[in-house]
Tab-separated table of all heavy atoms in Angstrom:
chain	number	residue	atom	x	y	z
A	672	SER	N	-0.322	-27.453	18.655
A	672	SER	CA	-0.145	-28.793	17.950
A	672	SER	C	0.121	-29.801	18.965
A	672	SER	O	-0.258	-30.968	18.795
A	672	SER	CB	0.930	-28.717	16.831
A	672	SER	OG	2.121	-28.399	17.509
A	673	LEU	N	0.826	-29.461	20.033
A	673	LEU	CA	1.119	-30.458	21.028
A	673	LEU	C	-0.098	-30.820	21.917
A	673	LEU	O	-0.184	-31.940	22.370
A	673	LEU	CB	2.248	-29.879	21.946
A	673	LEU	CG	3.566	-29.928	21.349
A	673	LEU	CD1	4.631	-29.143	22.263
A	673	LEU	CD2	4.196	-31.210	21.145
A	674	VAL	N	-1.001	-29.939	22.110
A	674	VAL	CA	-2.128	-30.148	22.971
A	674	VAL	C	-2.890	-31.339	22.573
A	674	VAL	O	-3.448	-32.124	23.412
A	674	VAL	CB	-3.037	-28.938	23.182
A	674	VAL	CG1	-4.403	-29.289	23.823
A	674	VAL	CG2	-2.374	-27.797	23.927
A	675	SER	N	-3.037	-31.542	21.271
A	675	SER	CA	-3.882	-32.706	20.747
A	675	SER	C	-3.261	-34.011	20.966
A	675	SER	O	-3.989	-35.046	20.863
A	675	SER	CB	-4.124	-32.398	19.279
A	675	SER	OG	-2.976	-32.401	18.506
A	676	VAL	N	-1.947	-34.071	21.258
A	676	VAL	CA	-1.272	-35.374	21.404
A	676	VAL	C	-0.698	-35.616	22.728
A	676	VAL	O	-0.279	-36.771	23.086
A	676	VAL	CB	-0.244	-35.601	20.310
A	676	VAL	CG1	-0.821	-35.518	18.911
A	676	VAL	CG2	0.833	-34.525	20.484
A	677	PHE	N	-0.594	-34.588	23.578
A	677	PHE	CA	-0.006	-34.753	24.860
A	677	PHE	C	-0.947	-34.457	26.043
A	677	PHE	O	-1.518	-33.359	26.086
A	677	PHE	CB	1.201	-33.772	25.100
A	677	PHE	CG	2.378	-34.121	24.251
A	677	PHE	CD1	2.835	-33.271	23.141
A	677	PHE	CD2	3.116	-35.264	24.385
A	677	PHE	CE1	3.885	-33.605	22.439
A	677	PHE	CE2	4.258	-35.561	23.606
A	677	PHE	CZ	4.594	-34.774	22.659
A	678	PHE	N	-1.150	-35.443	26.854
A	678	PHE	CA	-1.945	-35.112	28.048
A	678	PHE	C	-1.503	-36.196	29.080
A	678	PHE	O	-1.101	-37.276	28.801
A	678	PHE	CB	-3.425	-35.066	27.826
A	678	PHE	CG	-3.983	-36.325	27.222
A	678	PHE	CD1	-4.583	-37.341	28.023
A	678	PHE	CD2	-3.974	-36.495	25.872
A	678	PHE	CE1	-5.039	-38.485	27.400
A	678	PHE	CE2	-4.411	-37.715	25.235
A	678	PHE	CZ	-4.974	-38.656	26.073
A	679	VAL	N	-1.805	-35.825	30.333
A	679	VAL	CA	-1.206	-36.773	31.465
A	679	VAL	C	-2.164	-36.750	32.652
A	679	VAL	O	-2.955	-35.916	32.733
A	679	VAL	CB	0.291	-36.333	31.806
A	679	VAL	CG1	0.194	-35.034	32.742
A	679	VAL	CG2	1.010	-37.386	32.466
A	680	ILE	N	-1.892	-37.570	33.490
A	680	ILE	CA	-2.698	-37.778	34.660
A	680	ILE	C	-2.044	-37.533	35.962
A	680	ILE	O	-0.787	-37.349	35.939
A	680	ILE	CB	-3.328	-39.150	34.761
A	680	ILE	CG1	-2.302	-40.199	34.400
A	680	ILE	CG2	-4.428	-39.285	33.662
A	680	ILE	CD1	-1.125	-40.366	35.331
A	681	SER	N	-2.697	-37.528	37.013
A	681	SER	CA	-2.087	-37.407	38.385
A	681	SER	C	-2.685	-38.394	39.281
A	681	SER	O	-3.885	-38.692	39.205
A	681	SER	CB	-2.208	-36.084	38.937
A	681	SER	OG	-1.771	-36.009	40.286
A	682	LEU	N	-1.967	-38.982	40.087
A	682	LEU	CA	-2.408	-39.977	41.111
A	682	LEU	C	-3.087	-39.205	42.234
A	682	LEU	O	-2.470	-38.378	42.849
A	682	LEU	CB	-1.365	-40.897	41.643
A	682	LEU	CG	-1.772	-41.773	42.773
A	682	LEU	CD1	-2.752	-42.856	42.346
A	682	LEU	CD2	-0.569	-42.390	43.414
A	683	PHE	N	-4.309	-39.534	42.675
A	683	PHE	CA	-4.912	-39.001	43.738
A	683	PHE	C	-4.951	-39.913	44.989
A	683	PHE	O	-4.905	-39.580	46.071
A	683	PHE	CB	-6.346	-38.518	43.522
A	683	PHE	CG	-6.484	-37.341	42.669
A	683	PHE	CD1	-7.580	-36.977	41.919
A	683	PHE	CD2	-5.385	-36.461	42.547
A	683	PHE	CE1	-7.683	-35.861	41.206
A	683	PHE	CE2	-5.344	-35.314	41.756
A	683	PHE	CZ	-6.611	-34.995	41.028
A	684	GLY	N	-5.074	-41.139	44.662
A	684	GLY	CA	-5.212	-42.123	45.783
A	684	GLY	C	-4.055	-42.405	46.612
A	684	GLY	O	-4.121	-42.665	47.742
A	685	CYS	N	-2.865	-42.243	45.965
A	685	CYS	CA	-1.553	-42.720	46.745
A	685	CYS	C	-0.831	-41.591	47.384
A	685	CYS	O	-0.167	-41.799	48.311
A	685	CYS	CB	-0.600	-43.271	45.749
A	685	CYS	SG	-1.269	-44.885	45.001
A	686	SER	N	-0.929	-40.352	46.966
A	686	SER	CA	-0.088	-39.290	47.458
A	686	SER	C	-0.258	-38.991	48.872
A	686	SER	O	0.616	-38.620	49.600
A	686	SER	CB	-0.290	-38.016	46.609
A	686	SER	OG	-1.612	-37.509	46.754
A	687	SER	N	-1.480	-39.159	49.441
A	687	SER	CA	-1.760	-38.889	50.862
A	687	SER	C	-1.405	-39.922	51.814
A	687	SER	O	-1.256	-39.697	52.875
A	687	SER	CB	-3.268	-38.512	50.965
A	687	SER	OG	-4.048	-39.616	50.632
A	688	SER	N	-1.083	-41.144	51.250
A	688	SER	CA	-0.874	-42.185	52.162
A	688	SER	C	0.654	-42.688	52.114
A	688	SER	O	1.022	-43.565	52.968
A	688	SER	CB	-1.717	-43.412	51.698
A	688	SER	OG	-1.352	-43.861	50.400
A	689	THR	N	1.451	-42.078	51.244
A	689	THR	CA	2.810	-42.514	51.124
A	689	THR	C	3.675	-41.925	52.282
A	689	THR	O	3.263	-40.899	52.890
A	689	THR	CB	3.444	-42.070	49.818
A	689	THR	OG1	3.117	-40.765	49.671
A	689	THR	CG2	2.808	-42.894	48.713
A	690	LYS	N	4.807	-42.590	52.706
A	690	LYS	CA	5.602	-42.077	53.739
A	690	LYS	C	6.338	-40.938	53.365
A	690	LYS	O	6.642	-40.679	52.217
A	690	LYS	CB	6.535	-43.203	54.117
A	690	LYS	CG	5.875	-44.474	54.694
A	690	LYS	CD	6.846	-45.569	55.075
A	690	LYS	CE	6.088	-46.701	55.737
A	690	LYS	NZ	7.079	-47.767	56.090
A	691	SER	N	6.792	-40.130	54.374
A	691	SER	CA	7.628	-38.951	54.189
A	691	SER	C	8.996	-39.447	53.666
A	691	SER	O	9.504	-40.403	54.099
A	691	SER	CB	7.799	-38.286	55.443
A	691	SER	OG	8.854	-37.237	55.415
A	692	PRO	N	9.620	-38.595	52.775
A	692	PRO	CA	10.871	-38.955	52.249
A	692	PRO	C	11.920	-39.219	53.263
A	692	PRO	O	12.876	-39.942	53.126
A	692	PRO	CB	11.225	-37.674	51.362
A	692	PRO	CG	10.004	-37.213	50.969
A	692	PRO	CD	9.084	-37.390	52.135
A	693	ALA	N	11.811	-38.486	54.503
A	693	ALA	CA	12.751	-38.605	55.527
A	693	ALA	C	12.814	-40.044	56.200
A	693	ALA	O	13.707	-40.404	56.852
A	693	ALA	CB	12.521	-37.676	56.572
A	694	ASN	N	11.667	-40.771	55.977
A	694	ASN	CA	11.558	-42.126	56.577
A	694	ASN	C	12.209	-43.171	55.711
A	694	ASN	O	12.243	-44.431	56.015
A	694	ASN	CB	10.129	-42.446	56.765
A	694	ASN	CG	9.494	-41.599	57.908
A	694	ASN	OD1	10.161	-41.102	58.799
A	694	ASN	ND2	8.158	-41.288	57.787
A	695	ASN	N	12.614	-42.820	54.514
A	695	ASN	CA	13.177	-43.908	53.549
A	695	ASN	C	14.663	-43.908	53.722
A	695	ASN	O	15.381	-42.968	53.557
A	695	ASN	CB	12.804	-43.486	52.142
A	695	ASN	CG	11.286	-43.615	51.816
A	695	ASN	OD1	10.633	-44.503	52.441
A	695	ASN	ND2	10.705	-42.669	51.106
A	696	ALA	N	15.192	-45.140	53.927
A	696	ALA	CA	16.608	-45.190	54.212
A	696	ALA	C	17.445	-45.596	52.981
A	696	ALA	O	18.670	-45.461	53.003
A	696	ALA	CB	16.851	-46.360	55.238
A	697	ALA	N	16.812	-45.935	51.922
A	697	ALA	CA	17.542	-46.317	50.718
A	697	ALA	C	18.208	-45.136	50.075
A	697	ALA	O	17.695	-44.065	50.154
A	697	ALA	CB	16.525	-47.011	49.735
A	698	THR	N	19.296	-45.328	49.367
A	698	THR	CA	19.939	-44.224	48.688
A	698	THR	C	19.911	-44.240	47.214
A	698	THR	O	19.618	-45.422	46.668
A	698	THR	CB	21.478	-44.233	49.099
A	698	THR	OG1	22.015	-45.478	48.792
A	698	THR	CG2	21.602	-43.993	50.615
Side-chain angles (χ1 to χ4, degrees):
S672 63
L673 285 171
V674 169
S675 63
V676 297
F677 290 113
F678 57 95
V679 79
I680 47 61
S681 173
L682 173 68
F683 286 162
C685 293
S686 61
S687 60
S688 62
T689 51
K690 295 182 180 179
S691 168
N694 293 330
N695 292 323
T698 58

